Amino acid sequence: MQFGIFSVGDVTPDPTTGRTPTERERIKAMVAIALKAEEVGLDVFATGEHHNPPFVPSSPTTMLGYVAAQTERLILSTSTTLITTNDPVKIAEDFAMLQHLADGRVDLMMGRGNTGPVYPWFGKDIRDGIGLAIENYALLRRLWREDVVNWEGKFRTPLQGFTSTPRPLDDVPPFVWHGSIRSPEIAEQAAYYGDGFFHNNIFWPADHTKRMVELYRSRYAHYGHGTPEQAIVGLGGQIFMRKNSQDAIREFRPYFDVAPVYGHGPSLEDFTDQTPLTVGSPEQVIEKTLSFREYAGDYQRQLFLVDHAGLPLKTVLEQIDMLGEEVVPVLREEFAKGRAKDVPEAPTHASLLAEVKAEVKAEEKKGTVV
């Protein structure tokens, strides 16, 4: 099972000091967070994609390429790649390039994006969000899998005799997760292609996440990719830790109360009770994270949000240290217990390449027999 960090890249004032980091400071902080994730033994760093204030990660592959040059093992991913407002040709090119630079340590998460003004900035209409997600992803898959593409659709100019370059590393496209909070059409899309499904698992109660994951699992089996239990599921989670739970609550409360997304809403106590947010000791984070399996089944990837709402970098790095030293080792051991043998691990470039080689070998053997 993979464990890691995902960031939305917000630039938010620290409510305890009133200071707002510069964009440069926030960008550099995200890089420091990624490097710390590798240092403590986490598996994945994922960045969001946003094109509006107060966010900075407008160019995820630029950041991930920079991180790739400074890491050796970390899987580099996105917590959203906007399949709706980005040109699928550019996505194909950018992530294939990143694959080569990172020696295959790359995957990505497709998302629609729910910030209305962003769509017209890129010449799109948010009312076409689902249609754009479906059509653009269908084209992206072809661009990665066919050397020459002739294509015509509704939302983009046609392609004639087009070859996307560079080609994917080893002719193996990056693995794709489809991220959705509430859209069953996206869970269906992930299932149709046999891709991964990621639920951010931050704002919604467990019964909602359960319904979305179960829909994806059932449709994954319907399309013949395997049993429901073999579907590839990822979950988010949001945490803040201190050795003593009361210290964690006291320190995090001012950040929670004015956070851009859920500030000025439910109390911290109500929100932690009704959602996966955990504010407390490492033991409490372990207990709550293990409970995710009760409604999501055995899954492949767990990403934590630790760096938002104006939290200073020093504090965030302390959170990652605790994850690496006290939380993730226990989670790895506990999640492995009772895990069915036929439940796959999260796909990597190495595992996907091995599958391709096995298929080629089987075809060659079949031809010899014939």
Side-chain angles (χ1 to χ4, degrees):
M1 186 169 173
Q2 295 174 343
F3 295 90
I5 299 296
F6 72 119
S7 174
V8 295
D10 60 310
V11 180
T12 303
D14 184 331
T16 68
T17 66
R19 184 180 184 277
T20 303
T22 66
E23 291 180 327
R24 180 182 185 276
E25 288 173 331
R26 187 65 173 102
I27 291 167
K28 291 289 190 178
M30 291 176 69
V31 172
I33 289 164
L35 300 184
K36 174 62 78 169
E38 170 150 301
E39 176 189 321
V40 304
L42 301 185
D43 305 303
V44 182
F45 171 76
T47 173
E49 179 188 345
H50 297 277
H51 299 275
N52 56 294
F55 303 99
V56 293
S58 58
S59 181
T61 52
T62 302
M63 173 172 286
L64 295 178
Y66 185 77
V67 172
Q70 302 177 69
T71 55
E72 297 179 355
R73 185 188 52 81
L74 195 66
I75 296 172
L76 308 171
S77 190
T78 56
S79 47
T80 305
T81 293
L82 297 175
I83 188 63
T84 47
T85 52
N86 278 311
D87 184 352
V89 170
K90 198 69 173 74
I91 296 176
E93 294 173 339
D94 285 351
F95 280 90
M97 177 70 77
L98 182 59
Q99 262 195 319
H100 287 274
L101 292 172
D103 297 322
R105 295 182 289 123
V106 174
D107 59 34
L108 67 161
M109 186 194 307
M110 298 298 178
R112 284 195 298 132
N114 57 10
T115 306
V118 173
Y119 279 74
W121 294 344
F122 290 88
K124 308 299 180 184
D125 187 329
I126 194 171
R127 292 170 294 185
D128 295 325
I130 294 293
L132 282 161
I134 292 171
E135 180 177 295
N136 283 354
Y137 184 59
L139 173 56
L140 176 62
R141 286 182 62 88
R142 290 188 59 189
L143 292 169
W144 274 335
R145 289 165 173 80
E146 300 176 25
D147 289 336
V148 179
V149 174
N150 295 298
W151 178 90
E152 185 172 349
K154 178 180 179 182
F155 299 108
R156 167 188 213 291
T157 53
L159 296 173
Q160 295 182 350
F162 180 77
T163 298
S164 176
T165 60
R167 304 304 298 145
L169 179 64
D170 300 317
D171 289 324
V172 176
F175 184 73
V176 171
W177 304 80
H178 298 259
S180 179
I181 300 174
R182 61 187 180 275
S183 301
E185 296 92 340
I186 302 303
E188 177 80 15
Q189 182 182 42
Y192 177 79
Y193 290 109
D195 295 337
F197 177 69
F198 188 92
H199 195 283
N200 84 341
N201 200 38
I202 292 176
F203 307 116
W204 294 76
D207 58 347
H208 172 81
T209 303
K210 179 180 180 180
R211 287 194 298 272
M212 291 291 287
V213 171
E214 286 183 346
L215 169 64
Y216 161 69
R217 288 188 183 278
S218 66
R219 300 303 289 172
Y220 181 95
H222 169 79
Y223 289 115
H225 300 298
T227 67
E229 294 75 22
Q230 292 173 322
I232 308 299
V233 174
L235 294 179
Q238 186 179 354
I239 59 173
F240 186 85
M241 294 178 287
R242 288 303 183 202
K243 296 289 186 184
N244 181 288
S245 61
Q246 292 306 309
D247 289 340
I249 293 169
R250 182 171 56 253
E251 184 175 348
F252 188 67
R253 188 182 299 278
Y255 295 93
F256 175 88
D257 286 345
V258 298
V261 175
Y262 46 60
H264 311 289
S267 69
L268 175 59
E269 286 75 14
D270 286 344
F271 204 82
T272 54
D273 181 58
Q274 297 169 16
T275 77
L277 171 64
T278 311
V279 180
S281 67
E283 291 77 17
Q284 288 172 309
V285 169
I286 290 168
E287 180 181 6
K288 193 159 190 178
T289 304
L290 288 173
S291 74
F292 296 171
R293 183 160 61 176
E294 296 173 7
Y295 55 85
D298 285 318
Y299 60 108
Q300 284 74 21
R301 175 175 285 186
Q302 174 65 55
L303 301 183
F304 295 102
L305 176 63
V306 297
D307 73 327
H308 73 127
L311 287 165
L313 177 60
K314 178 179 180 293
T315 300
V316 173
L317 297 181
E318 291 168 350
Q319 298 296 304
I320 299 173
D321 274 328
M322 284 188 280
L323 271 177
E325 295 168 5
E326 303 180 53
V327 174
V328 167
V330 178
L331 290 177
R332 290 193 197 279
E333 182 178 347
E334 293 299 317
F335 273 119
K337 294 178 180 178
R339 189 179 181 94
K341 292 182 179 180
D342 61 346
V343 174
E345 295 296 327
T348 63
H349 182 77
S351 68
L352 295 172
L353 179 59
E355 288 179 10
V356 170
K357 289 181 176 179
E359 291 172 0
V360 170
K361 188 174 181 179
E363 288 296 319
E364 290 176 346
K365 184 177 180 180
K366 181 179 177 181
T368 301
V369 172
V370 173

